[in-house]
């Protein structure tokens, strides 16, 4: 099926006489006819047992998301941050390291550079535009993964997925990529060599700013057994898990080893699983994803072109624009468009940028992005506030930067709002 059809029909299959719309199973528990049945589930959790880490409504949405990205399995989380965290913790323990692009979303930068450091896990930062030789040089014997972002938030760098996947695989580690801004409608990273995809489902996948959420999707393509044989890494995928009755993940679950290990170990212990009602709302957003993404991209391009004409704008970052630094990579990985997010830098720096955002009337000044309604944010004051000036520069952010997220309003109304706000600067 094409993605437009998948968004409507994957995941939930109505039974004869059953509800046509995916039902909400709002229950924490599931009842069984014997103690032996429950004991069997603790040996091999093949049924719903407790909604801290599995639920029928969430399961249907997980199946849909896995299908949209072309993976073997998915696991919903309570936020995008939780998805990023668990994707790393499923691979790294204290004393390990991983490599990550330095232009990631600000919350991810803080998670990786501060919180994971407290856990004894080192993040080695790289410029995603660096040569393969330069990136190869930063790997250590304890490096367990590479982490990137398809379209970085907010700088809108386009990740060279094939390059980073190739580098990761040459070092026998998986490549994880955050595909939040692109969504599987605009880019499917597995087809370019990525191994694990994460999303903040709070953004375009939900689309309506109704609930926070995240997801981890496993391609099933990384060969854990080969990596273990080659380097001795990822032994916890191959060797018995004593915390789960000696189960061996690769031997038992094959291609789905990563995502099932994440659920059986990490979701079991962290419990950052969404409620059934949240998954239901997410599914409503997924059903209209292709229709919405087309409009976001159309509005984004027209708004970016308008910003280019203003003498009050110092720079416009939008990879679909002719002449943009990442246009060539955008044409390769994102031929259908580069989302509705436009990144601009206003002349006059922080003070002028804040004045512009405050003068907008249609666009909401809020800590959100990728919504059906146009919204705007000043990253240096908000999402990246915790970064030092030096870190802001590395992340491609200056005081004059504004993240402008086009919604689904008529583009003429969006541009009229921009026009009056620029007049106030």
């Amino acid at each position: 099926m094409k993605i437009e059809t998948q968004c409507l029909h994957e995941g939930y299959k109505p039974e004869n006489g059953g509800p046509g719309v995916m039902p909400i199973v709002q229950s924490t528990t599931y009842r069984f006819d014997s103690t032996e049945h429950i004991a069997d589930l603790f040996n091999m959790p093949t049924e719903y047992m407790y909604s801290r880490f599995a639920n029928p409504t969430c399961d249907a949405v997980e199946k849909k998301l896995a299908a949209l990205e072309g993976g073997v399995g998915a696991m919903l989380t309570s936020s995008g941050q939780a998805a990023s965290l668990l994707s790393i913790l499923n691979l790294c323990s204290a004393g390990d390291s991983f490599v990550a692009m330095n232009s990631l979303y600000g919350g991810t930068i803080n998670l990786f550079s501060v919180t994971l450091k407290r856990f004894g896990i080192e993040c080695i930062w790289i410029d995603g535009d660096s040569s393969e030789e330069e990136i190869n040089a930063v790997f250590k014997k304890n490096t367990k993964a590479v982490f990137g972002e398809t379209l970085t938030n907010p700088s809108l760098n386009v990740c060279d997925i094939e390059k980073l996947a190739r580098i990761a695989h040459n070092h026998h580690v998986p490549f994880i990529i955050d595909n939040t801004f692109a969504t599987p409608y605009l880019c499917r990273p597995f087809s370019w060599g990525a191994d694990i995809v994460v999303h903040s489902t709070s953004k375009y996948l939900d689309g309506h700013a109704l609930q926070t959420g995240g997801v981890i999707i496993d391609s099933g393509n990384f060969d854990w057994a080969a990596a273990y044989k080659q380097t001795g890494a990822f032994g916890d995928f191959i060797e018995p898990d004593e915390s789960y009755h000696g189960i061996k993940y690769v031997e038992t679950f094959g291609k789905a080893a990563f995502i099932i290990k994440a659920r059986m170990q990490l979701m079991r212990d962290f419990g950052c699983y969404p409620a059934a009602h949240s998954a239901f709302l997410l599914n409503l957003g997924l059903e209209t994803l292709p229709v919405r993404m087309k409009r976001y991209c159309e509005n984004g391009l027209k708004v970016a072109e308008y910003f280019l004409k203003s003498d009050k704008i110092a720079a416009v970052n939008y990879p679909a624009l002719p002449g943009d630094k990442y246009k060539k990579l955008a044409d390769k990985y994102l031929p259908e468009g580069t989302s509705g997010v436009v990144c601009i830098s206003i002349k006059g720096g922080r003070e002028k940028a804040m004045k512009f955002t405050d003068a907008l009337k249609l666009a909401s000044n809020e800590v959100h992005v990728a919504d059906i309604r146009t919204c705007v944010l000043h990253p240096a004051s908000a999402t990246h506030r915790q970064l030092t000036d030096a870190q802001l520069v590395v992340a491609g952010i200056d005081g004059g930067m504004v993240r402008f997220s086009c919604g689904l309003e008529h583009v003429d109304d969006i541009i009229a709002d921009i026009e009056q706000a620029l007049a106030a600067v």
Side-chain angles (χ1 to χ4, degrees):
M1 292 187 291
K2 303 294 185 183
I3 192 169
E4 290 85 353
T5 310
Q6 288 180 309
C7 283
L8 292 168
H9 293 281
E10 288 284 7
Y12 173 66
K13 309 294 184 184
E15 297 179 354
N16 185 35
V21 175
M22 183 183 73
I24 303 171
V25 181
Q26 194 69 48
S27 180
T28 60
T29 52
Y30 310 88
R31 297 185 180 183
F32 303 95
D33 54 8
S34 69
T35 301
E36 184 179 4
H37 192 162
I38 295 176
D40 288 342
L41 290 179
F42 274 90
N43 286 328
M44 184 67 69
T46 55
E47 300 175 47
Y48 306 112
M49 183 168 55
Y50 193 61
S51 286
R52 186 174 73 228
F53 54 90
N55 169 277
T57 306
C58 296
D59 178 63
V61 179
E62 289 166 345
K63 286 183 169 65
K64 177 176 287 189
L65 286 164
L68 295 182
E69 286 285 10
V72 298
M75 182 178 73
L76 291 174
T77 61
S78 56
S79 68
Q81 282 287 84
S84 296
L85 172 65
L86 297 190
S87 71
I88 295 296
L89 293 184
N90 207 31
L91 302 170
C92 296
S93 302
D96 288 334
S97 67
F98 66 99
V99 173
M101 290 169 56
N102 57 18
S103 53
L104 302 177
Y105 162 63
T108 309
I109 292 174
N110 198 71
L111 169 66
F112 288 176
S113 61
V114 178
T115 302
L116 284 181
K117 183 178 180 181
R118 292 173 181 161
F119 291 178
I121 298 171
E122 179 190 10
C123 180
I124 303 169
W125 296 104
I126 59 162
D127 183 339
D129 297 335
S130 297
S131 69
E132 293 194 32
E133 292 74 20
E134 290 171 315
I135 297 174
N136 281 324
V138 308
F139 278 76
K140 300 180 179 181
K141 289 183 178 180
N142 65 1
T143 299
K144 296 291 181 65
V146 176
F147 192 102
E149 198 169 352
T150 309
L151 274 169
T152 58
N153 177 9
S155 56
L156 298 181
N157 298 4
V158 178
C159 176
D160 191 340
I161 302 172
E162 277 193 316
K163 180 182 79 173
L164 289 188
R166 182 170 56 250
I167 293 170
H169 297 158
N170 286 341
H171 291 272
H172 311 289
V173 302
F175 177 41
I176 307 168
I177 190 159
D178 183 336
N179 201 35
T180 296
F181 272 10
T183 80
Y185 180 75
L186 298 178
C187 181
R188 298 180 73 179
F190 293 156
S191 64
W192 299 103
D195 301 293
I196 310 296
V197 160
V198 298
H199 288 271
S200 169
T201 62
S202 321
K203 310 305 190 298
Y204 284 127
L205 296 183
D206 168 278
H208 298 73
L210 292 175
Q211 44 80 42
T212 59
V215 69
I216 305 173
I217 305 167
D218 182 4
S219 71
N221 292 332
F222 191 80
D223 192 334
W224 306 102
Y228 177 68
K229 184 177 181 180
Q230 188 75 27
T231 67
F234 310 117
D236 45 356
F237 285 83
I238 308 299
E239 298 164 1
D241 179 1
E242 299 306 329
S243 77
Y244 228 112
H245 317 291
I247 200 165
K248 298 178 181 179
Y249 292 103
V250 169
E251 180 182 293
T252 306
F253 301 107
K255 287 183 174 294
F258 178 90
I259 202 66
I260 292 179
K261 177 177 175 290
R263 190 182 300 275
M264 291 173 65
Q265 284 186 344
L266 299 176
M267 193 58 76
R268 173 197 65 190
D269 293 344
F270 285 87
C272 47
Y273 202 61
H277 189 254
S278 294
F280 176 82
L281 295 174
L282 171 58
N283 186 63
L284 292 180
L286 289 172
E287 290 179 338
T288 63
L289 178 67
V291 180
R292 290 186 291 106
M293 290 309 297
K294 288 180 182 178
R295 181 65 172 267
Y296 288 128
C297 293
E298 290 170 1
N299 283 357
L301 181 57
K302 290 177 181 177
V303 165
E305 290 170 342
Y306 178 82
F307 276 126
L308 274 179
K309 299 173 184 176
S310 174
D311 59 3
K312 296 183 179 181
I313 304 298
V316 179
N317 293 353
Y318 190 70
L321 284 173
D324 188 275
K325 177 182 178 181
Y326 293 100
K327 181 65 164 64
K328 186 176 180 179
L329 286 176
D331 288 344
K332 176 179 179 178
Y333 296 117
L334 300 142
E336 299 299 319
T338 57
S339 85
V341 181
V342 182
C343 186
I344 61 171
S345 184
I346 302 222
K347 292 179 180 177
R350 184 182 295 256
E351 181 183 349
K352 296 290 186 181
M354 294 175 71
K355 190 171 184 179
F356 168 74
T357 59
D358 290 346
L360 290 163
K361 296 177 180 178
L362 178 68
S364 301
N365 196 346
E366 59 185 53
V367 187
H368 193 48
V369 65
D371 188 10
I372 56 171
R373 301 166 189 84
T374 297
C375 53
V376 65
L377 189 75
H378 182 238
S381 299
T383 53
H384 291 66
R385 187 178 183 86
Q386 74 276 16
L387 303 187
T388 64
D389 288 343
Q391 286 177 316
L392 286 172
V393 171
V394 168
I397 297 168
D398 61 54
M401 178 180 281
V402 172
R403 184 183 70 190
F404 195 92
S405 177
C406 300
L408 303 184
E409 303 94 345
H410 195 288
V411 71
D412 291 350
D413 294 324
I414 298 173
I415 290 174
D417 190 35
I418 294 170
E419 186 177 21
Q420 66 83 26
L422 286 175
V425 175

